[in-house]
Amino acid sequence: MDVLNQWIAETASFVWGLPLLFLLIGGGLFLLVYSRFLPFKYFGHAIQVLRGKYDNPDDPGEISHFQALMTALSSTVGMGNIAGVAVAIAVGGPGAVFWMWISALVGMSTKFFTCTLAILFRGKDDSGTLQGGPMYFITEGLGKSWKPLAVFFSIAGLVGALPVFNVNQLTQAVNDILLVPNGIEKGFATDLSIGIVLAVITGIVILGGLNRISKTASKMVPAMVVLYFIAVLAILFINAAEVPRYLQLIFTDAFAANNYTGDPMFGGMLGALIVLGIRRGAFSNEAGIGTAPMAHGAAKTEEPIREGLVAMLGPFIDTVIVCTLTALCILVTGVWQTSEANGVTLTAKAFSDSIPGYGPYVLLVCIAVFSISSLFSYSYYGSKCLAFIFGTRHKHWYNYFYIASILIGATTSLDLMINLIDTFFALMAIPTMLATLILAPKVMQRARQYFTSLNKV
């Protein structure tokens, strides 16, 4: 297991090298400048679309704009925001948060383009159902000769969509917050028991298809974001005197990698700190990875630009708001310097120190809902990838493989799980970003038409 862990860690470091960083962030910056910040000018309009002002039940698609965003957010607002941020700070210190912000702002532009393409170039699967996602906008937008790139994305998506990291961290949270403090010794048996419970809950929902997934997510996600928001604000209020200092430290440490107290191997390496922040930011908001276009591609709309605008809100909510709350919570309580914990346990320590008694349990409720809602969405992504490669009549097999992987995630190490998903996220990003950059002129042509007509109204 140690050899496997080391091999996967080395693979993750290799694929997250400068070429991918250049593709994700360089490509995102290009899209930002190429669009002349146009999507950001219509942020308010995006919120109107999200609220249903332009919904038409007769439009093609399966779910509403709101349900599409909630389905996408249910996979992104999860352990990446709570455990992923803790991992970034534990290794890279406060400066890593700044580069997560950069990832999010660039990611907003990337998501606008990728999710516009998901509607602009929807295709039909072998059963005649309208579908969206990178594999479809590659084949429909670039042509059938590009299908190998679409298949490459789908193969990577089969592993990238597995829920192993979320399950791993939820299991760790249940052990550290609920079982151990109440005298129940954690071990393989308790991990497996938690995994079995999660597998049963997940199976009930995902076997019901996209409509059940989206309806469940649209109820769970907003409520938990609000609860988490209130809990973290309470912690920040308790430690209000520390907030300005750490906000400043996020900016100053972002350009002084030798000042943080994270992993010594990163000492003085600004480039490594940037990669860490971008990697954790991408893990959190998934901009450029290609998962969100699969959810947004199912939206009921005939106007691609509207869905792109709604999708653009995702990285803002996910990283700029939720990840920042988690980061400040960990920083102002000082646990990032005083605790050897990592991942979700570090965040739990911050809650426990600031809100003794109830704090960890509030976090556990939020973690449980965020993680379980993520389990629902990722299964949809993976089954779409399998259906693209082998046909829709076989896609149900992915759900069984997916449910079985929950047991693996619950009983293996954090490092192995996070490096595994990092690796395949990187592989998914390559075809997604390449196709998006090539098709960007098509998006801007449609955007100019849409915004011109909107301004005439």
Side-chain angles (χ1 to χ4, degrees):
M1 187 61 73
D2 289 340
V3 173
L4 178 64
N5 195 5
Q6 183 180 354
W7 183 80
I8 292 177
E10 290 173 356
T11 304
S13 296
F14 174 75
V15 295
W16 276 98
L18 285 177
L20 182 66
L21 186 69
F22 180 77
L23 184 63
L24 266 179
I25 299 304
L29 283 171
F30 167 77
L31 295 173
L32 195 63
V33 175
Y34 181 64
S35 68
R36 297 179 182 178
F37 300 89
L38 193 62
F40 293 87
K41 298 175 185 177
Y42 291 90
F43 197 89
H45 178 63
I47 293 173
Q48 289 181 323
V49 176
L50 179 65
R51 293 175 61 187
K53 183 176 180 180
Y54 300 92
D55 282 0
N56 182 349
D58 296 325
D59 279 346
E62 297 180 70
I63 54 179
S64 69
H65 292 293
F66 180 76
Q67 288 176 328
L69 181 63
M70 289 305 107
T71 301
L73 277 177
S74 70
S75 64
T76 59
V77 178
M79 297 311 288
N81 306 83
I82 297 173
V85 173
V87 169
I89 293 174
V91 176
V97 180
F98 176 84
W99 296 109
M100 290 183 74
W101 289 344
I102 298 299
S103 171
L105 293 174
V106 172
M108 290 175 70
S109 174
T110 303
K111 277 225 175 152
F112 170 76
F113 277 86
T114 57
C115 294
T116 295
L117 287 170
I119 298 293
L120 186 59
F121 292 109
R122 281 199 275 208
K124 290 185 177 180
D125 58 28
D126 59 356
S127 66
T129 303
L130 205 60
Q131 299 284 2
M135 64 284 265
Y136 290 98
F137 68 65
I138 289 170
T139 52
E140 299 296 321
L142 297 177
K144 300 299 181 184
S145 60
W146 289 78
K147 188 171 181 179
L149 194 66
V151 172
F152 177 84
F153 170 84
S154 299
I155 292 171
L158 293 176
V159 179
L162 292 178
V164 287
F165 173 73
N166 283 307
V167 170
N168 178 277
Q169 287 295 275
L170 178 54
T171 302
Q172 184 176 321
V174 172
N175 280 325
D176 294 347
I177 297 172
L178 189 62
L179 301 186
V180 173
N182 290 292
I184 300 173
E185 187 176 347
K186 66 177 180 180
F188 180 81
T190 55
D191 291 346
L192 184 61
S193 299
I194 295 168
I196 291 171
V197 171
L198 292 176
V200 171
I201 294 171
T202 304
I204 292 170
V205 175
I206 69 174
L207 296 177
L210 176 61
N211 276 316
R212 186 181 293 177
I213 292 170
S214 62
K215 286 175 182 176
T216 306
S218 65
K219 291 180 175 65
M220 293 173 70
V221 174
M224 281 308 102
V225 168
V226 171
L227 176 60
Y228 188 68
F229 189 79
I230 292 170
V232 175
L233 284 183
I235 293 173
L236 297 183
F237 180 77
I238 293 167
N239 299 277
E242 297 292 323
V243 173
R245 182 166 77 91
Y246 278 107
L247 280 172
Q248 182 181 4
L249 200 61
I250 287 171
F251 287 95
T252 56
D253 271 25
F255 301 96
N258 58 321
N259 289 340
Y260 68 78
T261 58
D263 192 325
M265 68 174 282
F266 282 92
M269 299 181 187
L270 178 59
L273 179 60
I274 294 172
V275 170
L276 175 71
I278 300 303
R279 189 166 154 182
R280 295 278 65 80
F283 185 85
S284 173
N285 60 54
E286 297 175 23
I289 304 300
T291 51
M294 288 191 271
H296 287 281
K300 276 183 173 294
T301 183
E302 287 187 328
E303 182 44 70
I305 300 303
R306 285 183 190 148
E307 198 57 35
L309 288 170
V310 169
M312 179 186 73
L313 299 174
F316 182 82
I317 296 169
D318 174 271
T319 307
V320 177
I321 296 178
V322 183
C323 283
T324 301
L325 289 172
T326 302
L328 286 174
C329 173
I330 292 168
L331 292 171
V332 301
T333 54
V335 295
W336 66 289
Q337 291 176 308
T338 60
S339 174
E340 294 296 321
N342 199 350
V344 70
T345 307
L346 186 63
T347 311
K349 183 77 167 61
F351 271 70
S352 177
D353 287 359
S354 296
I355 313 175
Y358 297 106
Y361 294 104
V362 172
L363 178 64
L364 182 58
V365 171
C366 293
I367 287 170
V369 174
F370 285 156
S371 296
I372 292 170
S373 63
S374 297
L375 302 187
F376 303 156
S377 300
Y378 277 121
S379 68
Y380 172 66
Y381 299 150
S383 63
K384 279 192 72 163
C385 290
L386 189 87
F388 182 80
I389 302 170
F390 299 110
T392 53
R393 68 185 183 279
H394 297 298
K395 71 176 184 178
H396 66 282
W397 290 110
Y398 184 80
N399 287 333
Y400 303 122
F401 171 61
Y402 184 90
I403 291 168
S405 76
I406 292 175
L407 304 181
I408 298 172
T411 54
T412 45
S413 72
L414 165 62
D415 289 343
L416 179 62
M417 292 301 97
I418 200 168
N419 286 324
L420 179 71
I421 300 304
D422 270 353
T423 299
F424 283 90
F425 265 24
L427 297 177
M428 292 167 71
I430 295 169
T432 300
M433 287 302 296
L434 283 175
T436 300
L437 290 169
I438 295 170
L439 292 169
K442 301 282 188 182
V443 174
M444 286 309 300
Q445 180 184 6
R446 189 64 178 253
R448 283 189 285 269
Q449 294 171 355
Y450 177 76
F451 291 126
T452 300
S453 63
L454 186 69
N455 291 330
K456 288 180 180 178
V457 177

